[in-house]
Amino acid sequence: MDIERIHFQQHGDHGGQLVSLEQERNVPFEIRRVYYIFATQPDVHRGRHAHRHLRQLAVAVRGSVTVLLDDGTGPVEVVLDDPSQGLLLGDMVWRELYGFSADCVLMVLADQFYDPADYITDYDEFLREANGYRRMEGAVA
Ligand code: TYD
């Protein structure tokens, strides 16, 4: 599955901690967009979509959230609860977000501007496209 956990260098001392994110250095793409999710209501589920062409890096800068990821071969659950770690997501990964702590602030860096046409919001349509995508990837490998 096109996902990876990235551990950022932490610059810490008695005054606190600092993490720096830099394009093409510890963020492996050109950063075109940053958005963040906060003030989520209890028991809310977000996401429930995939993107055809989008790389994203998600960091729980505060609190925690569970992310379900699925490339069409079955789901994997990942907990984000550490501001010194990021979750890198590639193309064609179905994601659902839930279990937000009340204080959660989830920051996401993306390599593309917001484009509603890039969303796949129907899971069956995602499976159809993901199966074709994996066949294509296999053909060029
Ligand atoms: P959405 O992607 O549906 O959020 P989630 O998957 O976390 O539930 O986006 C929620 C709303 O915010 C929707 O109206 C689109 C808007 N939005 C933007 O305007 N720009 C963005 O970069 C993103 C991610 C969403």
Side-chain angles (χ1 to χ4, degrees), residues 49-123:
H49 64 252
H51 291 278
R52 296 183 178 92
H53 302 291
L54 183 65
R55 299 188 78 194
Q56 293 189 297
L57 180 71
V59 183
V61 291
R62 187 179 177 89
S64 63
V65 59
T66 300
V67 187
L68 177 144
L69 302 160
D70 182 0
D71 67 355
T73 61
V76 173
E77 263 192 354
V78 174
V79 174
L80 296 181
D81 61 358
D82 183 342
S84 73
Q85 293 186 12
L87 179 68
L88 188 63
L89 301 177
D91 298 345
M92 294 302 286
V93 179
W94 184 267
R95 77 284 311 267
E96 302 187 12
L97 298 95
Y98 45 85
F100 288 89
S101 62
D103 63 346
C104 183
V105 180
L106 182 69
M107 180 182 70
V108 183
L109 282 58
D111 75 341
Q112 302 295 332
F113 296 118
Y114 174 62
D115 176 11
D118 187 57
Y119 281 61
I120 306 171
T121 54
D122 181 87
Y123 186 69

Side-chain angles (χ1 to χ4, degrees), residues 33 35 37 45-49 97 114 119:
R33 175 165 55 114
Y35 63 92
I37 296 169
H45 282 235
R46 302 190 62 112
R48 289 187 166 143
H49 64 252
L97 298 95
Y114 174 62
Y119 281 61

Side-chain angles (χ1 to χ4, degrees), residues 5-39:
R5 203 183 272 267
I6 299 183
H7 298 259
F8 306 122
Q9 186 183 355
Q10 249 175 271
H11 305 276
D13 58 24
H14 63 277
Q17 301 292 327
L18 185 151
V19 168
S20 169
L21 302 180
E22 296 182 297
Q23 165 172 305
E24 312 283 10
R25 291 188 169 172
N26 58 352
V27 177
F29 53 73
E30 194 179 338
I31 302 164
R32 288 213 171 78
R33 175 165 55 114
V34 178
Y35 63 92
Y36 40 93
I37 296 169
F38 60 100

